[in-house]
Amino acid sequence: MKNKALSTLMATAITATLVLPMSTANAASSQIQSNSYETHVAAAKKVIGESVTIKNITKDTVITSNGTFRIQSALKPLFDTSNKAALTNARATIVVKNGQITDVTSLILNKAGTSKKSVYFDGGDAQISGDLTVNADYVKIQDVSVDGQLIITNRVKKAVTLDEVAVDETITLKPIVTKKVSWLYVTLIDMKSSNINLERTKVNISSDQTLSKVDVVGKVTSFEAMSNIEKLTIDVANDFSLYGEGKIEQIVVKGGTKVALDSGHLVNNVQVDDSRVSVTLPVIDKKELNTLIASPPYVQVSVNGYDVLNTDKWTTQTERNAFESAVASARAMANNNSASQEQVKNAIIQYKNALAVYQAAQKSGTKYGYGDKASLQSLINSVQYVTVSWDGSNVPYNTPWTTQTERNALASSVSSAQVVVNNVYATQTEIANAINNLNNAIWTYKNAYKYGNNGHYVDKSNLKTLISTALNGIVATSQDGSDVNPALKWTSQNDLSILNFYIEQAKSVDNKYDATQSEVSNAYDNLSNAINNYNYAKQNGLQY
């Protein structure tokens, strides 16, 4: 029986070195068989032990296809009776000494759960000194240490959860060969320093910890990462789309045809090793940079400060020029559509450094005198108003305008300043405050400038039509199609969420009165790709 079992193991390419209680007489024979078998599978990964099918578990023993064995204390958490369901018909490679299991060198879990009730496998912090393979849906694995790989096979088609599982090598998702592939949802909880080898398309990975490394290879066409990633490498055969959100420090594109990286991720650096790959770059987050450059805190310019009130700050023209140069550089980066997230980040740092230098150079003015109203009146006379408009549609292209409310705010400050000028008893403090208030109002008013779009025509007709097409093409959502009539189509909620994201993005551009033709074109292309992916994900219902 042992020779027959060993032959079966060799035929299925599951390596094993049998370590069992034996007499001195047959020990040499068994060792010869073991050595012969290990030589036969030398090209494969060498796994020491006896391959068995687990039949049942009691408090102190494991009943297998090759006999009943006691359990070493360190391994008892693996074979706890609470894991009986998960270990039903599981394949394990075990090392046995004196009738006791002393090591588990591989484990394959074959028992599936359901969408309503997962199958739980709790390792109790015990160790598997080889690979752990998940070969069934809706399995949750927790608190186990894996010395080798954690392999998710193509039989896992819906969902799997890993909770505090320490994997020394990689988490490998094997490819699935079928025309219609549903999204597989992989949830990682408290998984630190995870390295993932993704060979399968349509995988959604969510993690509450940063993923150290994700390698996307082979015929993968789409991947959704709801997590932070240190390094994402893409080496695919054809087109590829990245979805999800989070922060990615670096993306390296080594292969592919059209690689779309315009997901919701914040990406610091993109490296394209193959110039033949057409790469759609990530959407860059410039919110902080735009906020900084919207209102640079300039102060007055003076040679020695004698002409500046002692309540105000001033710098030399040279110091002002240095800061203005930094502001100009930051604005150029904000307007650069090809800027990377790393460049934007550097522009923010450079702006803040220049601002710190500029503020350190500021000094208080020395001008002080009773009833000095000339400066205030001069400031009042310098006020210039621009066109008032509701939305800029009646203002010539690139001509500044503000709303009536913004103009009224400045006019009110001018009136208040004039009252001070006209007050023969006004003190120097009142005059100084009036100058400061009016200067602030002028600064606020100028920063409210918007520019007219009359004569600047942007064609949004195709985008409007595509939005309508997308909305009309929405079908039912389901987990597995069992609640949808066979005559109807369905997709997962995730597929619909992705489509809705790009529909809302397109609507935002369509409703933006000053949108550029480039923004309209980008929104159209993004929505068109989303519609294609959504239509590809549609499946017929399975309700009976």
Side-chain angles (χ1 to χ4, degrees):
M1 289 298 292
K2 288 183 179 179
N3 290 337
K4 183 177 180 181
L6 189 58
S7 298
T8 302
L9 293 178
M10 293 173 65
T12 55
I14 301 176
T15 61
T17 300
L18 182 62
V19 182
L20 288 171
M22 60 184 73
S23 66
T24 305
N26 64 15
S29 175
S30 296
Q31 184 62 47
I32 291 171
Q33 288 181 348
S34 176
N35 292 341
S36 174
Y37 179 67
E38 289 178 15
T39 302
H40 180 76
V41 296
K45 182 176 180 180
K46 187 175 179 181
V47 180
I48 299 174
E50 174 187 5
S51 180
V52 299
T53 299
I54 297 174
K55 299 296 184 180
N56 200 1
I57 297 173
T58 68
K59 181 179 179 181
D60 298 309
T61 63
V62 178
I63 302 169
T64 76
S65 56
N66 282 19
T68 300
F69 306 103
R70 291 176 286 108
I71 311 163
Q72 190 180 69
S73 59
L75 298 176
K76 282 189 176 182
L78 289 178
F79 298 105
D80 190 88
T81 53
S82 63
N83 290 330
K84 182 181 293 188
L87 291 173
T88 300
N89 292 324
R91 295 286 294 176
T93 307
I94 58 176
V95 175
V96 178
K97 292 182 181 179
N98 299 324
Q100 184 181 62
I101 299 174
T102 60
D103 196 5
V104 177
T105 57
S106 75
L107 179 63
I108 303 173
L109 300 178
N110 294 313
K111 179 66 174 178
T114 67
S115 59
K116 295 182 179 179
K117 186 177 181 181
S118 296
V119 168
Y120 284 83
F121 178 76
D122 188 343
D125 292 326
Q127 182 180 34
I128 297 172
S129 58
D131 294 343
L132 171 59
T133 302
V134 184
N135 200 35
D137 260 319
Y138 299 112
V139 175
K140 181 174 181 180
I141 302 171
Q142 60 190 40
D143 297 329
V144 63
S145 177
V146 180
D147 287 356
Q149 297 184 76
L150 193 150
I151 301 169
I152 300 174
T153 72
N154 57 16
R155 293 187 64 182
V156 183
K157 298 178 180 179
K158 298 294 183 180
V160 64
T161 300
L162 307 177
D163 185 352
E164 286 193 271
V165 179
V167 182
D168 277 5
E169 296 182 17
T170 60
I171 300 172
T172 300
L173 290 99
K174 292 297 185 180
I176 184 169
V177 183
T178 180
K179 289 184 178 180
K180 290 188 176 182
V181 181
S182 299
W183 281 89
L184 169 63
Y185 293 88
V186 180
T187 303
L188 307 181
I189 303 171
D190 204 15
M191 297 277 288
K192 298 178 176 62
S193 303
S194 296
N195 295 324
I196 297 175
N197 186 47
L198 186 66
E199 303 172 10
R200 172 174 174 163
T201 196
K202 282 195 173 182
V203 175
N204 174 302
I205 296 179
S206 61
S207 174
D208 59 356
Q209 302 289 327
T210 298
L211 304 178
S212 298
K213 185 180 178 185
V214 178
D215 292 329
V216 182
V217 298
K219 296 183 179 180
V220 178
T221 60
S222 58
F223 167 51
E224 182 170 35
M226 306 300 291
S227 62
N228 297 334
I229 303 174
E230 290 181 4
K231 184 177 181 180
L232 170 63
T233 302
I234 300 167
D235 191 2
V236 294
N238 299 301
D239 294 350
F240 173 80
S241 294
L242 175 66
Y243 302 107
E245 59 186 32
K247 183 178 181 180
I248 302 178
E249 291 296 333
Q250 182 183 28
I251 298 180
V252 178
V253 180
K254 291 187 174 181
T257 306
K258 294 181 179 179
V259 175
L261 304 178
D262 51 341
S263 62
H265 293 93
L266 176 65
V267 181
N268 276 340
N269 178 263
V270 177
Q271 174 184 321
V272 180
D273 291 349
D274 189 342
S275 59
R276 295 171 297 177
V277 182
S278 174
V279 179
T280 303
L281 293 173
V283 177
I284 305 302
D285 184 0
K286 299 180 180 179
K287 183 177 180 181
E288 183 179 1
L289 181 60
N290 287 327
T291 300
L292 290 173
I293 63 177
S295 54
Y298 294 121
V299 296
Q300 296 181 58
V301 171
S302 178
V303 175
N304 51 26
Y306 295 164
D307 57 338
V308 180
L309 292 173
N310 61 352
T311 55
D312 290 344
K313 296 289 186 179
W314 65 277
T315 67
T316 64
Q317 186 64 56
T318 300
E319 291 160 340
R320 168 72 170 254
N321 290 346
F323 182 53
E324 284 183 337
S325 177
V327 173
S329 296
R331 281 182 174 152
M333 188 59 65
N335 294 327
N336 183 359
N337 293 329
S338 299
S340 69
Q341 194 66 57
E342 189 69 22
Q343 288 174 313
V344 172
K345 178 181 176 182
N346 289 336
I348 292 171
I349 293 172
Q350 290 168 7
Y351 176 93
K352 288 181 176 179
N353 289 341
L355 176 60
V357 172
Y358 179 63
Q359 290 176 331
Q362 293 173 14
K363 297 167 281 290
S364 297
T366 58
K367 183 179 179 180
Y368 185 86
Y370 180 81
D372 182 10
K373 301 178 181 177
S375 296
L376 180 55
Q377 186 63 62
S378 177
L379 185 60
I380 293 171
N381 295 338
S382 71
V383 171
Q384 293 181 345
Y385 297 100
V386 295
T387 304
V388 170
S389 176
W390 174 257
D391 58 5
S393 60
N394 61 330
V395 180
Y397 176 61
N398 222 20
T399 299
W401 63 274
T402 68
T403 64
Q404 186 64 56
T405 300
E406 290 159 344
R407 178 180 176 127
N408 290 345
L410 177 58
S412 176
S413 295
V414 170
S415 297
S416 297
Q418 193 64 58
V419 169
V420 174
V421 171
N422 297 337
N423 180 7
V424 295
Y425 300 107
T427 65
Q428 180 61 40
T429 299
E430 290 174 324
I431 295 171
N433 289 338
I435 290 175
N436 281 338
N437 292 338
L438 184 53
N439 268 321
N440 289 336
I442 292 172
W443 177 76
T444 301
Y445 181 71
K446 288 184 176 180
N447 277 282
Y449 282 4
K450 294 164 278 289
Y451 293 90
N453 55 22
N454 189 10
H456 178 58
Y457 175 73
V458 175
D459 184 8
K460 298 181 180 178
S461 58
N462 289 337
L463 182 61
K464 293 179 184 292
T465 301
L466 193 64
I467 292 172
S468 178
T469 299
L471 292 171
N472 291 333
I474 292 176
V475 297
T477 59
S478 175
Q479 286 190 343
D480 55 11
S482 60
D483 57 343
V484 180
N485 190 296
L488 301 176
K489 297 284 188 179
W490 66 277
T491 69
S492 70
Q493 182 60 51
N494 184 70
D495 290 324
L496 178 58
S497 296
I498 294 170
L499 177 63
N500 282 334
F501 172 84
Y502 288 104
I503 289 175
E504 291 305 315
Q505 185 186 74
K507 284 182 177 179
S508 176
V509 173
D510 184 39
N511 294 331
K512 185 179 178 182
Y513 77 89
D514 59 346
T516 65
Q517 193 65 58
S518 176
E519 287 177 305
V520 173
S521 297
N522 287 338
Y524 180 93
D525 290 341
N526 290 341
L527 181 54
S528 179
N529 289 334
I531 291 173
N532 290 337
N533 291 332
Y534 181 73
N535 288 337
Y536 181 79
K538 290 179 181 178
Q539 302 181 58
N540 290 323
L542 301 174
Q543 187 180 53
Y544 292 100

